[in-house]
Amino acid sequence: MKHGKKYLEAEKKLDRDKHYALDEAIKLVKDMAFAKFDETVEVSVSLNIKKSHSIRETFVLPHQFTGEKKILVFAKGEKADEARAAGATFVGDEDLVQKVKDGWLDFDVCIATPDMMKDVGRLGQVLGRRGLMPNPRTKTVTNDIKEAVAELKRGRVEFRADKGGVVHLGVGKVSMDNGAVAENIRTFIAELLRKKPADLKGEFVKSIYICSAMGPGVCLDQAPFMG
């Protein structure tokens, strides 16, 4: 991959053979950030897993760094009232299903009560392509609407391993306090380690890198995370 002049200049500050301590790595990532916008700090973890292993989880980062999400809730009756009281942006049942089916997509995340999934399931092609389909595994198919909306408003995020066994997650902004970024990273790694498959032999994590959205990746020393 060919990189631009600013990237190559930033890369001169990096020792490719070194595994950096977390605090040092965060400082370096920020020092190498060169974009004119406030870049996202990203973590990439390469895992030693089989194709049969499913690594996917949702959790709340200690320090939120994105704008508030537009939350859509498919629910009826009391559960719809619960969603409105919890602060959901949009709430409805069949009318909202039809609106989405007609092409309306002005929302960031969907929640549905289990009884609504028969209707919501018809939106598979529309929502599935955008990663918006409610799913029990991501706690977006639930009867506990109040808690689901509250977690999303607090900044609940999702991670999953891609086909190459790598998990990517944004954990902060270059403008954030270093300690807040570090706490988000530690929380993420701890959540990820809990997903180690029971039948896995050998090390679960092969490598951990952090970078800004546009900058070079910095390899982390894994030892402190492994406990």
Side-chain angles (χ1 to χ4, degrees):
M1 182 177 178
K2 190 174 182 180
H3 294 291
K5 183 178 178 181
K6 290 183 178 179
Y7 180 100
L8 296 174
E9 196 62 33
E11 194 176 32
K12 292 178 182 178
K13 302 174 184 178
L14 174 65
D15 181 350
R16 287 290 187 189
D17 296 321
K18 182 176 178 178
H19 292 196
Y20 289 81
L22 179 59
D23 291 344
E24 186 181 6
I26 292 170
K27 291 177 183 177
L28 180 56
V29 164
K30 289 188 172 191
D31 192 35
M32 293 191 297
F34 56 82
K36 292 182 180 179
F37 59 89
D38 189 12
E39 295 180 59
T40 299
V41 177
E42 302 171 352
V43 178
S44 297
V45 184
S46 179
L47 302 175
N48 172 35
I49 55 175
K50 302 174 184 177
K51 290 183 179 180
S52 59
H53 292 142
S54 177
I55 306 297
R56 183 178 184 181
E57 188 58 272
T58 62
F59 71 107
V60 177
L61 286 168
H63 303 279
Q64 190 174 354
F65 60 93
T66 58
E68 189 167 310
K69 294 179 180 179
K70 295 179 183 178
I71 303 169
L72 181 155
V73 177
F74 294 107
K76 299 178 181 180
E78 291 182 359
K79 290 299 176 181
D81 294 338
E82 185 180 323
R84 294 185 186 96
T89 318
F90 308 106
V91 183
D93 43 67
E94 286 89 351
D95 58 327
L96 209 51
V97 171
Q98 187 60 49
K99 188 174 181 180
V100 173
K101 189 176 181 180
D102 291 340
W104 176 75
L105 291 166
D106 188 23
F107 50 90
D108 301 304
V109 63
C110 297
I111 302 171
T113 53
D115 64 304
M116 282 297 303
M117 284 307 295
K118 182 178 179 180
D119 296 309
V120 176
R122 294 189 278 116
L123 302 174
Q125 287 192 334
V126 179
L127 298 179
R129 287 198 302 267
R130 294 167 177 80
L132 294 171
M133 178 59 76
N135 188 311
R137 294 182 62 183
T138 58
K139 302 177 184 178
T140 49
V141 176
T142 178
N143 275 315
D144 193 352
I145 296 297
K146 181 180 179 180
E147 180 60 21
V149 172
E151 281 197 357
L152 287 168
K153 290 175 78 69
R154 291 201 304 270
R156 189 172 81 192
V157 295
E158 177 186 356
F159 65 77
R160 67 171 73 186
D162 62 22
K163 292 180 180 179
V166 180
V167 178
H168 304 278
L169 187 71
V171 293
K173 292 287 186 179
V174 166
S175 61
M176 281 175 64
D177 174 75
N178 288 12
V181 176
E183 188 175 358
N184 278 357
I185 292 173
R186 291 190 186 98
T187 301
F188 164 48
I189 299 301
E191 290 290 336
L192 179 56
L193 291 176
R194 292 191 185 100
K195 300 300 291 183
K196 180 180 179 179
D199 64 339
L200 182 68
K201 294 180 181 180
E203 294 295 324
F204 181 38
V205 175
K206 293 195 289 187
S207 65
I208 306 172
Y209 281 82
I210 69 169
C211 64
S212 65
M214 304 294 288
V218 178
C219 187
L220 287 183
D221 176 10
Q222 298 179 39
F225 299 101
M226 301 306 155

